[in-house]
Amino acid sequence: MAALAGCSASAVGSTSGAACAPEDIKLIGQVRNETNPYEKSWLDGGQELAESLDLEQKRLTYAGESPKQLEQIRQELSTGNPECMVLNVLPNSDSDTTPIVKAVEEAGAHVVTQWNKPADVHPWDGYDSWIAHITYDGVDSGYQIAKAMFESMGGEGNVIALQGILATAAAKDRFAGLELALEEYPGITLLDQQAADFDRTKAFDITKTLLTKYGADVGGVWAANDDMALGALKALDAAGLAGEVKVVGIDAVPEAVQAIEDGAITATVSSDGPWQGGIGLAMGYCALTGELDVTAQPNKNREFFAKQFLVTEDNAADYLTPSIDLADFDCANVFNRVDKALG
């Protein structure tokens, strides 16, 4: 972490024109909950980065409640010195991003948002403190896991789908990826789809209901994240169908990756939760200490799809233990995983 730890205290790269001493920077990570292994790995990655800088990361969770999320952020902004504060945030839905960013802007803090935002709102549109928005090509990930499942089914059969929170771009895009794959595999029929809100318990309950309705006709379960895939797997096991029905998810949480190794799940996609947890904080740290001039960055570095990776039985062993490479967070490397611009 030489590039980070040795950052200058000049104001050269600060988005606000004012720099902070490294020891004065406050790092905050915020996700929905830590019961979701992917979101926990996000905060764990942020903590590992913070510790490498002799700092702490404050871990915030808002239980999927949008008002609570904004209230938590406002409370943090009202304490201490917000001008030396960096927030790495998972907005609960697309509509939550704008009020979050405006609250941060008004306080003079800095923020990186991930996954969810309105398509017509951008970090470069009059926001000095919104460093970047990072997301992942949900259409591609939804398509890739669907294709892997359909191939494992021999291109024939029936599937059910578990959608995420419908108010999020991630859920919409991933389901669009499934629909794209269905067009390419005429032998696959989508029997039913329900929103399980990215939640394991809801996925268990919905899968159990759909299995009662469709029984042995179900040959595959497409889930918009691993937590729901694992809930579906539990329902299949309770119905005596584990191993007979293909299951796919997204996030590459360790439990799901282990299930891939064990042959219980077919595929997932990794967006690298630990990296997500560290990268937003690293961007802010570099900006506040003068090593990163955010306003000089091209738009493609301010709002982008980051690289993601398909995980199957062929490479599952490589993803069993999520970890971070601190070199990814050197100030010179924070845009190394830019895959393509949004839109």
Side-chain angles (χ1 to χ4, degrees):
M1 296 298 288
L4 277 176
C7 286
S8 159
S10 71
V12 174
S14 173
T15 56
S16 64
C20 301
E23 64 271 16
D24 292 335
I25 294 175
K26 183 175 182 179
L27 306 176
I28 299 171
Q30 188 194 48
V31 297
R32 294 189 183 95
N33 61 70
E34 292 201 53
T35 58
N36 181 316
Y38 157 68
E39 293 184 21
K40 180 179 184 301
S41 75
W42 168 315
L43 294 184
D44 288 345
Q47 184 60 34
E48 191 172 345
L49 169 69
E51 290 174 358
S52 75
L53 299 169
D54 293 325
L55 296 172
E56 289 292 327
Q57 173 199 225
K58 186 158 188 179
R59 304 167 77 110
L60 298 178
T61 59
Y62 55 88
E65 300 174 13
S66 297
K68 182 177 180 180
Q69 177 176 36
L70 185 57
E71 179 56 33
Q72 282 183 344
I73 290 173
R74 284 175 170 161
Q75 184 173 350
E76 292 300 322
L77 294 171
S78 68
T79 62
N81 178 14
E83 292 187 359
C84 289
M85 188 179 296
V86 179
L87 297 93
N88 187 31
V89 173
L90 170 60
N92 193 42
S93 70
D94 293 0
S95 63
D96 294 312
T97 301
T98 300
I100 288 170
V101 169
K102 286 184 175 180
V104 172
E105 182 82 10
E106 290 172 3
H110 295 77
V111 64
V112 171
T113 56
Q114 300 199 43
W115 283 117
N116 304 314
K117 79 167 185 64
D120 60 348
V121 177
H122 310 286
W124 55 81
D125 287 342
Y127 296 101
D128 294 326
S129 299
W130 190 3
I131 298 170
H133 179 77
I134 304 171
T135 190
Y136 299 80
D137 190 341
V139 175
D140 181 64
S141 57
Y143 169 81
Q144 290 293 341
I145 61 169
K147 184 176 179 179
M149 181 169 69
F150 297 168
E151 287 291 327
S152 72
M153 295 170 63
E156 300 284 341
N158 305 309
V159 301
I160 58 175
L162 302 174
Q163 291 211 58
I165 298 172
L166 297 182
T168 66
K172 297 171 187 174
D173 289 347
R174 291 173 185 182
F175 189 72
L178 168 61
E179 292 178 314
L180 184 63
L182 285 167
E183 292 177 3
E184 295 183 10
Y185 287 80
I188 301 291
T189 299
L190 178 63
L191 293 174
D192 210 332
Q193 58 84 21
Q194 300 288 333
D197 298 338
F198 295 128
D199 182 81
R200 187 181 305 204
T201 300
K202 289 182 181 179
F204 170 79
D205 292 337
I206 291 172
T207 304
K208 188 175 179 181
T209 298
L210 293 179
L211 289 175
T212 298
K213 181 177 181 179
Y214 296 105
D217 288 340
V218 178
V221 180
W222 179 96
N225 78 342
D226 283 345
D227 223 30
M228 294 190 297
L230 291 164
L233 191 62
K234 184 177 179 181
L236 289 167
D237 186 53
L241 295 172
E244 299 180 25
V245 177
K246 306 298 183 181
V247 180
V248 293
I250 294 171
D251 286 339
V253 302
E255 190 177 351
V257 177
Q258 184 62 60
I260 292 175
E261 278 235 310
D262 296 341
I265 289 180
T266 300
T268 185
V269 168
S270 173
S271 56
D272 197 347
W275 177 84
Q276 287 182 266
I279 193 63
L281 300 180
M283 287 179 176
Y285 183 94
C286 292
L288 285 174
T289 53
E291 285 292 309
L292 176 66
D293 186 349
V294 176
T295 58
Q297 296 300 316
N299 288 353
K300 69 180 182 67
N301 284 355
R302 302 285 304 278
E303 179 182 290
F304 60 88
F305 287 120
K307 295 176 182 177
Q308 55 188 4
F309 314 92
L310 180 68
V311 182
T312 65
E313 61 180 355
D314 294 333
N315 62 352
D318 298 333
Y319 292 88
L320 277 174
T321 306
S323 61
I324 65 172
D325 181 351
L326 291 174
D328 287 336
F329 306 126
D330 285 353
C331 296
N333 297 336
V334 293
F335 298 112
N336 278 4
R337 289 201 190 179
V338 173
D339 189 21
K340 55 186 176 181
L342 272 65

